[in-house]
Amino acid sequence: GQEALARHFPGGSGSPAVVVAPEDDLDEVVKVVEETDGVASAMPMTERTSGPPTREEPPPMVVDGRVVVEVTLEDAADSHAAEETVRTLRDELHGLGDDVLVGGSTAQQVDGNDVAERDRTVIIPVVLAVILLVLIVLLRSVLAPVLLVATTRRSARVALARRSSSR
């Protein structure tokens, strides 16, 4: 079923990215988004009106001077290509101002991965240093705690390498 959907619709149509921007920047935001590789389409969220459909395009919905643009990505929302598209969108839209935000499920995934990577490079070494200090105090030795922490660090790296190679 997923393959049939992919043949007829963009991969990200079920879970669009969302861009929130100032109302004054709407046209420029849509232009930048549509010119970004990996984007299938971009459409401002509009006012919902009742009654028969008209040929006129409804005006964009504005809340507190901001508009929402729904962005359909060409790739599935959980793919690496979609993550790269979101990163590119953020880079391109950052030039318009810091108040242009990119969200949605793919953006949440990108942010979660970035936080996890930061944690690996900052928090884990801090925790290992504290453990090393506690072991030095408890064991009244320097060599044994260093060997224990080094062994633990090495086995964790091997486990991470195995896990990432099995994906």
Side-chain angles (χ1 to χ4, degrees):
Q2 291 293 81
E3 291 172 5
L5 281 172
R7 284 192 302 268
H8 301 286
F9 298 100
S13 59
S15 189
V18 177
V19 176
V20 180
E23 176 184 14
D24 299 338
D25 296 339
L26 176 62
D27 293 334
E28 194 169 353
V29 165
V30 170
K31 181 181 178 222
V32 168
V33 169
E34 287 178 338
E35 291 174 353
T36 303
D37 288 337
V39 172
S41 66
M43 179 68 72
M45 189 178 287
T46 59
E47 297 280 345
R48 306 270 192 256
T49 59
S50 59
T54 62
R55 295 194 186 270
E56 291 181 17
E57 200 171 306
M61 183 169 47
V62 179
V63 177
D64 296 331
R66 300 180 69 73
V67 293
V68 173
V69 178
E70 290 185 353
V71 180
T72 302
L73 304 177
E74 291 176 355
D75 302 295
D78 60 348
S79 69
H80 180 69
E83 288 181 16
E84 288 304 312
T85 301
V86 166
R87 289 182 194 280
T88 303
L89 274 173
R90 285 180 170 172
D91 290 342
E92 296 292 325
L93 292 171
H94 184 70
L96 299 178
D98 292 335
D99 50 353
V100 179
L101 307 172
V102 179
S105 63
T106 305
Q108 289 173 341
Q109 185 174 338
V110 166
D111 294 340
N113 291 343
D114 290 348
V115 168
E117 186 175 323
R118 181 193 162 276
D119 287 354
R120 274 195 313 269
T121 58
V122 174
I123 294 175
I124 291 174
V126 169
V127 168
L128 288 175
V130 169
I131 290 170
L132 178 65
L133 292 174
V134 169
L135 287 173
I136 288 172
V137 170
L138 289 175
L139 297 177
R140 298 182 194 165
S141 170
V142 175
L143 182 59
V146 168
L147 287 173
L148 287 169
V149 170
T151 303
T152 302
R153 185 170 177 256
R154 170 88 171 125
S155 62
R157 277 190 166 183
V158 169
L160 281 174
R162 285 184 186 158
R163 190 171 129 203
S164 64
S165 68
S166 67
R167 287 184 184 177

